[in-house]
Amino acid sequence: MRSSLTGVGRARAVAAFVLPVVLALGASPVLAGSAAPALSGEEVVPDRQPSTAQDGVALLRVVVPDQAAVDRLNALGVDLAEYRRAVDDGIEVHAVLSPGEARELRGKGFDVRDAVPNQAGFAANQAERRIAMSAAATAAQRNDTLTPLRAEWFTSTDDRRFLSVEVKSSATDAETVLTATWDSGPGTPPGSGGTATLSRFTDAGQYMYHRFDYPLPVTQAPARVTVRSSRGGSVTVPVTKWLGERRTPPGRHYVSDFVDHYMDPTEVTRRITGLAAEFPRITQVVDLPYRTNGYRRAAQAQFGTAPASTFHVTSTAYGSQGGNDVSLALVRPEAASAALKVSVTGKDVVVGLATDASGAITSTARQVVEALNADPAASALLRASTYRGDQGDGLVAAAPATRLTDGLKAPQSVSREPFQMKALRIGAKRDGSRVGVFLYCQEHAREWVTPLVCVETAERLLRNYAHDPRTRKIIDDLDIFVLPTANPDGAHYSFYDYNMQRKNMTNHCPARSADPASRNSWGVDLNRNFSVGSLFDGYSGASSDCTSAVFAGPAELSEPEDRNQVWLTRKYPNIRFAMNTHSYGGYFMWPPGSYKEAGRETLPRVDLGTENYFWEASRHILSAVQERRGTAIWPGRTGPVPDVLYSAAGNSADEHWYNRGIIGWDFEVGADLYDAATGRFQPVGFQPPFTEGHEEAMEFSGGQIAILEVARAYANDRRRPDSELKVTGRDDSSATFTFTTDEPANVYYTLDGSRPTLNSRKLVSSGVREGAQRITVNRTTEVHWFSVDVAGNVERGYRPGGTDRNYRRERVEVRGNR
Ligand SMILES: [Zn+2]
């Protein structure tokens, strides 16, 4: 049943404010502005009869001047949607209203506007629904086709075995149910291992595939799994082993484990400069050119209780540069009929409040704000603002001199100056001739484990160089850049002030949303402030709201922290690999990292050869992570960012890959822990107890070292790929074929007998995780092709831009047409 509109007399308590105050509605001051409705005690009479389904009730836009007016709507019992946005003339809210209710609200002075467009198309919605239902009914009448994407088993913690299955149905509707059945090893009966229903995975409204939400514990490693659909489709595939690649154990004298507590950015930076001093022959410190804004803030104070009588002041100087010495007093004069006046002595500001003939205070919050901002001496010290855009018509009370404060709690050993970010460059030959690798950590302040990963990696490299042959090869053959904390100011804030801080510390909020209670919401999400696939380009997963956790900043690359990353990759164009280490969840991901919401249009996917290279590299890297304590990063948490996590508009891996061709990987350290007692996986969080954080740092430092091994293999790769043309199907009028390669490589081919070049057709993927496309020809065709691996080696040494003809060639025969 719809609630009726109720009068002011039955007003509910309104507690929408952050201020520790509950407004009694009757005490609310009169709203200012032309659209301001006056308070009224009469009821708005409901005119909706429960029996009439369509009586013109619609979702209408209502624009109100301020929050108090929203509260009035609530108090009047208006049926408001959970939606609001700032518009030029106030706040837009959406109300479910009948024509009569809308008239009544207008009569009370409310600015009731048009219907929310996509809610007005009732008939269109009904029609769409009918079409969708009949399509589903049609789909139900025929079998669906199941495409197996992956079926893998793996061991994790304590050698437990798990099964992971992903299958895509051609029927994309929500009523299609897929069930998996597996055996208990080679030669055992199908179904002897177990059976389970798969979950339907959708993203941005689009069906992706079916999968297990979590890997499923199994007692035996299955050999084959069969997936059946409620639509009739069925497919049986072998189950392959994920990870567990046997790696050469480290040398006998290999040393590790160099971190024994969580470290703040000051400490981390001191640590790497210490390493540079200790190992001058194979390291140097790279000072990044853009100083951060610094661990510092303006000083503030807030006066008042109810929103209308509340205002705050913000020092013009940072707290550490004198802002903390400014004070403000609100004095009630002895004299009656006094004028509002501001006086300044040194850094002490005194407001003499205005009084009427009886000596009562008459100054409103807005008047005090205006007087302070108009006074040259006061406004040199501070700026004043009413509460969150409130008109400020409430009377202020006298208050003793109050010292403004920046509220920062870090010890004085943490500098309040702009921070000099430093990267540690490691390599025997640092002249740009070696393949470069950029390892960076802690873009998000609260991810405390991540700087430990970077520090541990640097220590392992430097302290094993003298005696461990494998480490020596890495440092001799590569040029490594380690940036242990990519967000030092935010990280200091996370350590000392607000542990859940994600963003940097720079406040881009206008004064109206910069009151002291908002301080933990300020800052820019540094992994949303880059320039590729950004919010500003229309991509999804970032916000323009300055207090949002994923605030993209006022513009692309507005933040010095991010400009430093871009500077580093430009200054050292030999950088070919980058690893952006975050926490938590246990992920290994690569570009594209974002999509546009409409149609889920991603940034261009990497080509087939590169994608296969990423999968091959992931097996090596994740097997190294697994070495420490058996943790497996799940198959379902490995892959392109939007396939496994979400869209992250303006992230750094996309910046490095699409702008500079740097293979940009992301780790999320901290894989879920399996609790054998409950049979459930438990997330570890941002700041687990150090014993757990330490294990994560050890695991993923192993992963970073493995990335260096991958990069070294790339640098030394002189082996040419080899490929095969495989005919996969044939009938009377056509033939279908594809290519396979003996290592990840791209295949370029022609079908018209011409010489293949890098501009020829490239073999593509047939769909997300679906393998190479099949090519169909309807006449006998001479196929010419060659393959190129990721390191640029060409099959048979063929030169695509030259004139020689040592490419591969083969006739694909079509019957009756030779
Ligand atoms: Zn993060």
Side-chain angles (χ1 to χ4, degrees), residues 227-415:
V227 176
R228 289 189 185 84
S229 165
S230 58
R231 300 272 187 238
S234 173
V235 67
T236 298
V237 288
V239 180
T240 57
K241 185 161 195 293
W242 169 247
L243 306 185
E245 179 182 294
R246 203 176 287 278
R247 292 163 42 80
T248 327
R252 193 131 48 108
H253 302 291
Y254 191 82
V255 287
S256 62
D257 200 347
F258 298 99
V259 292
D260 62 2
H261 61 278
Y262 287 124
M263 290 186 280
D264 76 22
T266 299
E267 199 178 353
V268 158
T269 304
R270 197 185 309 127
R271 186 85 170 252
I272 64 159
T273 50
L275 286 172
E278 192 178 344
F279 299 94
R281 283 185 41 246
I282 50 171
T283 64
Q284 72 196 70
V285 168
V286 178
D287 281 338
L288 302 181
Y290 302 102
R291 300 279 176 114
T292 70
N293 192 59
Y295 175 74
R296 57 182 181 174
R297 274 198 169 145
Q300 293 189 299
Q302 181 164 294
F303 297 82
T305 47
S309 58
T310 293
F311 69 96
H312 66 269
V313 292
T314 304
S315 64
T316 50
Y318 284 104
S320 51
Q321 295 180 332
N324 286 338
D325 303 328
V326 175
S327 77
L328 176 63
L330 306 177
V331 176
R332 173 194 190 140
E334 298 299 324
S337 303
L340 178 62
K341 89 182 223 293
V342 175
S343 57
V344 178
T345 313
K347 290 187 172 178
D348 300 321
V349 181
V350 177
V351 175
L353 298 169
T355 52
D356 63 13
S358 69
I361 292 171
T362 59
S363 294
T364 65
R366 186 178 66 230
Q367 288 164 348
V368 172
V369 164
E370 285 168 358
L372 283 168
N373 291 342
D375 184 88
S379 61
L381 294 171
L382 53 79
R383 298 298 294 169
S385 178
T386 58
Y387 183 72
R388 298 192 180 180
D390 197 282
Q391 297 291 318
D393 289 327
L395 298 179
V396 301
T402 303
R403 187 75 70 86
L404 277 57
T405 175
D406 63 13
L408 296 179
K409 298 199 267 299
Q412 284 306 314
S413 55
V414 171
S415 167

Side-chain angles (χ1 to χ4, degrees), residues 683-738:
V684 294
F686 293 112
Q687 295 145 19
F690 184 74
T691 48
E692 166 60 22
H694 172 262
E695 286 303 301
E696 294 171 16
M698 295 303 116
E699 289 175 329
F700 283 86
S701 175
Q704 286 192 338
I705 302 276
I707 285 167
L708 300 176
E709 291 167 355
V710 165
R712 183 173 171 272
Y714 166 94
N716 297 328
D717 183 2
R718 304 285 177 272
R719 191 184 160 280
R720 293 167 181 162
D722 198 15
S723 62
E724 295 297 332
L725 184 155
K726 288 220 158 91
V727 174
T728 58
R730 215 190 275 283
D731 61 26
D732 284 346
S733 59
S734 71
T736 299
F737 65 94
T738 187

Side-chain angles (χ1 to χ4, degrees), residues 444 447 502 582-583:
H444 289 145
E447 298 165 11
R502 166 185 168 97
H582 285 250
S583 81

Side-chain angles (χ1 to χ4, degrees), residues 442-447 450 502 525 527-528 580-584 646 667-668 686:
Q442 203 172 31
E443 256 182 357
H444 289 145
R446 63 195 174 196
E447 298 165 11
T450 63
R502 166 185 168 97
D525 183 345
N527 207 25
R528 299 293 184 278
N580 180 11
T581 299
H582 285 250
S583 81
Y584 56 91
Y646 48 50
F667 268 149
E668 294 278 349
F686 293 112

Side-chain angles (χ1 to χ4, degrees), residues 4 84 86 90 101 110 147 206 215 233 305 335 344 368 387 541 608 653 752 807 814:
S4 68
R84 68 192 50 196
E101 290 165 352
F110 282 97
T147 308
Q206 195 166 315
T305 47
V344 178
V368 172
Y387 183 72
L608 184 64
D752 60 1
Y807 46 79
V814 174

